[in-house]
């Protein structure tokens, strides 16, 4: 089972079908919080929905050349949320990172460090040249992640996502492998 250790309290691990119940309960306990920005929350209605999601993530391994596309974020051994590559284009060597975190795990730096891990995995292991993070224009918490990591704000895609009957613009943040490697050496 693929595991990527971030620090002494945080690791990323590939989901297994045995995680379906824990995943469903994590989503369910933060349902109102998560659905403000995530359209898929209303479709995850039971443990079977979580199991189907996990099955699709396991099938997505082929898109990355054998690396997991979606990982659970585990904080102090407890499932806290999900981080992964929403899209991977091996031909053009880019990916888009997406993430969500349960409300009870907020303000611990989990998503920032998990994204840092995914970026390192993408550039150093998968051989990507570019990684994007997209955040809804009103979602300041989500925008803070790429900004904190030094991504460049590159574009605004108008009305890119429909959530709860409202269209949201996406702010597109980009990072190139050469820029990331320079930032990491300076850190």
């Amino acid at each position: 089972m693929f595991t990527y250790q971030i620090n002494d309290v945080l690791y990323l691990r590939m989901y297994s079908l045995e995680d379906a119940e824990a995943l469903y309960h994590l989503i369910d306990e933060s349902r109102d919080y998560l659905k403000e920005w995530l359209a898929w929350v209303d479709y995850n209605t039971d443990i079977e929905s979580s199991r189907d999601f996990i099955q699709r993530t396991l099938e997505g391994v082929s898109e990355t050349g054998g690396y997991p596309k979606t990982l659970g974020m585990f904080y102090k051994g407890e499932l806290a949320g999900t981080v992964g590559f929403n899209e991977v284009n091996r031909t053009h060597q880019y990916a888009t990172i997406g993430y969500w975190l349960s409300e009870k795990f907020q303000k611990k730096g989990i998503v920032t460090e998990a994204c840092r891990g995914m970026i390192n995995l993408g550039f150093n292991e998968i051989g990507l040249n570019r990684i994007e993070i997209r955040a809804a224009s009103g979602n300041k918490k989500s925008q803070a992640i790429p900004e904190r990591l030094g991504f460049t704000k590159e574009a605004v895609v108008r009305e890119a996502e429909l959530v709860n009957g409202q269209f949201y613009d996406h702010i597109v943040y980009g990072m190139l492998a050469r820029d990331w490697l320079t930032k990491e050496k300076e850190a």
Side-chain angles (χ1 to χ4, degrees):
M1 174 91 35
F2 180 89
T3 301
Y4 194 81
Q5 193 73 40
I6 303 295
N7 56 42
D8 59 340
V9 295
L10 178 64
Y11 63 91
L12 309 178
R13 179 176 59 74
M14 192 164 120
Y15 280 114
S16 71
L17 292 175
E18 289 77 34
D19 294 316
E21 186 172 351
L23 178 60
Y24 170 73
H25 289 299
L26 187 68
I27 293 166
D28 197 46
E29 69 187 22
S30 286
R31 188 170 300 280
D32 290 339
Y33 174 78
L34 294 172
K35 72 187 231 174
E36 180 179 3
W37 298 110
L38 301 170
W40 58 261
V41 173
D42 286 336
Y43 301 105
N44 191 296
T45 57
D46 52 26
I47 294 169
E48 191 60 35
S49 301
S50 291
R51 188 174 286 112
D52 291 345
F53 165 76
I54 291 170
Q55 184 62 47
R56 287 190 309 276
T57 71
L58 296 173
E59 293 165 1
V61 170
S62 63
E63 292 179 49
T64 61
Y67 289 94
K69 189 174 167 186
T70 305
L71 299 165
M73 294 183 281
F74 290 82
Y75 180 77
K76 296 184 178 179
E78 188 177 353
L79 180 61
T82 298
V83 65
F85 294 123
N86 291 341
E87 177 184 0
V88 177
N89 185 313
R90 296 200 57 212
T91 300
H92 300 292
Q93 299 176 334
Y94 74 84
T96 302
I97 292 178
Y99 42 81
W100 65 267
L101 186 70
S102 170
E103 187 173 18
K104 70 181 182 180
F105 291 100
Q106 297 289 312
K107 300 188 186 287
K108 299 179 186 318
I110 294 170
V111 175
T112 300
E113 292 310 309
C115 284
R116 186 184 314 277
M118 290 301 292
I119 295 162
N120 284 325
L121 182 66
F123 289 145
N124 299 329
E125 303 296 327
I126 299 173
L128 298 174
N129 179 60
R130 175 183 170 77
I131 293 178
E132 290 182 0
I133 295 177
R134 293 178 173 225
S137 57
N139 191 340
K140 301 300 181 196
K141 286 182 181 179
S142 190
Q143 292 171 39
I145 303 303
E147 290 171 2
R148 197 174 295 126
L149 291 166
F151 277 59
T152 300
K153 182 178 175 181
E154 297 179 338
V156 175
V157 181
R158 298 181 322 146
E159 297 186 2
E161 185 175 28
L162 179 63
V163 180
N164 300 317
Q166 182 175 344
F167 283 102
Y168 288 97
D169 296 348
H170 273 186
I171 300 173
V172 180
Y173 296 89
M175 177 67 70
L176 299 178
R178 65 179 173 266
D179 297 336
W180 181 255
L181 297 174
T182 301
K183 285 179 188 304
E184 290 296 289
K185 286 179 185 173
E186 293 172 355

